[in-house]
Amino acid sequence: MKNYKIKMLPAAKVDLGDMIDYLSQFYPSTALKQYDRIIEKINALKEFPFMHEEYPVDVIGFRYRKMWC
């Protein structure tokens, strides 16, 4: 099976960090679990790149996927 390369946009990395920082203020263990869940779903895209809905636009030759956790 082919493995695809996954790249997170810098803005997505910042958003993820901000979300985890916010959650950890109130629910530290939940923040860590949520982070692990999101990273697991991102890593799953390497083997199953079509598992999430694609954004309808192509940006600089890249296609993006919407991921809901």
Side-chain angles (χ1 to χ4, degrees):
M1 180 177 280
K2 182 178 179 178
N3 278 337
Y4 291 82
K5 187 175 182 178
I6 303 301
K7 292 183 180 181
M8 282 182 68
L9 292 172
K13 290 179 183 181
V14 170
D15 287 348
L16 178 58
D18 289 347
M19 181 184 68
I20 299 307
D21 288 344
Y22 177 78
L23 282 175
S24 67
Q25 294 175 32
F26 308 101
Y27 312 103
S29 63
T30 300
L32 184 57
K33 288 176 189 175
Q34 185 67 3
Y35 175 82
D36 289 342
R37 245 178 60 174
I38 292 169
I39 294 301
E40 186 178 302
K41 287 186 178 262
I42 291 169
N43 286 332
L45 289 170
K46 292 176 183 175
E47 292 185 45
F48 305 103
F50 305 110
M51 67 189 282
H52 297 290
E53 182 183 354
E54 186 175 330
Y55 277 104
V57 295
D58 186 301
V59 180
I60 314 172
F62 292 100
R63 296 176 137 172
Y64 296 94
R65 299 276 166 186
K66 296 178 185 179
M67 186 177 67
W68 305 98
C69 295

